[in-house]
Amino acid sequence: MNFITSLLGHLNYTTIFFLMLLESTVIPVPSELVVSPAAYHAAGGNLNIWLIILFATIGADCGATINYLAGYYLGRPIIYRFANSKWGKMCLLNQEKVEKSERYFDEHGMVATITGRLVIGVRHLISIPAGLAKMNYWRFLLFTTIGAGIWNIILAALGWWMHSFVPESQLDAKIEEYGDYIKYAILIMVAVAICVVLWRNIAKGWRKNSEKE
């Protein structure tokens, strides 16, 4: 973990990519402490905010792909065995968390790879059930990019905004404070998005039934 802490203290496009790749696998790297501080420094002219979002999203895609391939080729028994192992526990992972991500995927279908990227406790694991379900990879990658991109834009906007009134020494504490509000707002957005998708599916079913009649 000292290695990760060192990378968090030296953010550039390469470390942003690498840390976000780790965050999208099973390594406990908080994305809030990667993208938001990087955007904070971008507001001070040290980095480009659009490149931050780009490299963070590409990193998330690569990490998610690793999880997807693990689910696709290794299967549920091996995934569960790893989650319950010493190495899994070191990654703050357990079978319950994997099962939670599977339930989320089963309940929301392929759109879960978008909305799941915005849900705490599901975001970094949602790729595993997509692989277990043998979801088409290119569709998976598209949905993951959309979800990760939205999340990174939100985190980058937070960091950029904080640059105007938060001293750097207080940055991490303020990110955690405001991050909680963002998480609740995102949960509401996800719930609304799911309701919209469900309503459209229901309406489509009604139209098909009426056409048959």
Side-chain angles (χ1 to χ4, degrees):
M1 291 305 171
N2 290 335
F3 172 65
I4 292 176
T5 302
S6 175
L7 292 180
L8 287 170
H10 299 84
L11 291 174
N12 54 49
Y13 303 124
T14 301
T15 55
I16 290 167
F17 165 83
F18 182 66
L19 287 168
M20 291 301 291
L21 181 152
L22 295 181
E23 190 268 347
S24 284
T25 56
V26 294
I27 309 298
V29 179
S31 54
E32 300 92 324
L33 298 183
V34 179
V35 180
S36 293
Y40 180 95
H41 294 302
N46 297 322
L47 294 168
N48 182 291
I49 193 166
W50 298 111
L51 289 179
I52 290 170
I53 294 169
L54 175 64
F55 279 92
T57 302
I58 294 173
D61 283 345
C62 291
T65 295
I66 293 172
N67 276 6
Y68 170 90
L69 293 174
Y72 194 101
Y73 290 108
L74 297 182
R76 190 172 284 103
I78 295 178
I79 295 293
Y80 283 0
R81 196 177 306 144
F82 173 78
N84 292 322
S85 70
K86 179 180 70 174
W87 295 103
K89 288 179 172 57
M90 287 177 61
C91 296
L92 305 181
L93 191 63
N94 56 49
Q95 184 173 327
E96 183 181 352
K97 290 182 178 180
V98 178
E99 289 175 341
K100 179 182 177 182
S101 68
E102 287 192 80
R103 287 194 299 272
Y104 188 91
F105 185 86
D106 290 340
E107 290 170 3
H108 303 104
M110 293 183 181
V111 73
T113 51
I114 296 179
T115 59
R117 298 293 308 186
L118 308 176
V119 178
I120 306 304
V122 171
R123 181 170 65 245
H124 66 301
L125 296 178
I126 195 63
S127 308
I128 294 175
L132 291 172
K134 302 293 192 289
M135 179 179 177
N136 176 272
Y137 174 72
W138 297 110
R139 183 176 295 179
F140 160 79
L141 184 61
L142 173 62
F143 287 1
T144 298
T145 301
I146 293 170
I150 292 171
W151 177 241
N152 290 330
I153 288 170
I154 291 171
L155 293 181
L158 175 64
W160 184 278
W161 173 61
M162 284 185 171
H163 185 268
S164 61
F165 67 94
V166 175
E168 187 170 357
S169 59
Q170 301 176 18
L171 181 59
D172 288 350
K174 286 296 183 181
I175 286 173
E176 291 183 10
E177 177 186 338
Y178 286 96
D180 287 337
Y181 297 121
I182 288 176
K183 289 169 187 174
Y184 294 132
I186 286 174
L187 287 175
I188 294 172
M189 290 167 56
V190 170
V192 170
I194 291 171
C195 289
V196 170
V197 171
L198 290 175
W199 173 252
R200 286 182 176 176
N201 288 337
I202 292 171
K204 187 184 295 184
W206 286 344
R207 285 197 299 270
K208 286 182 179 179
N209 290 334
S210 62
E211 288 173 0
K212 289 180 181 178
E213 294 175 357

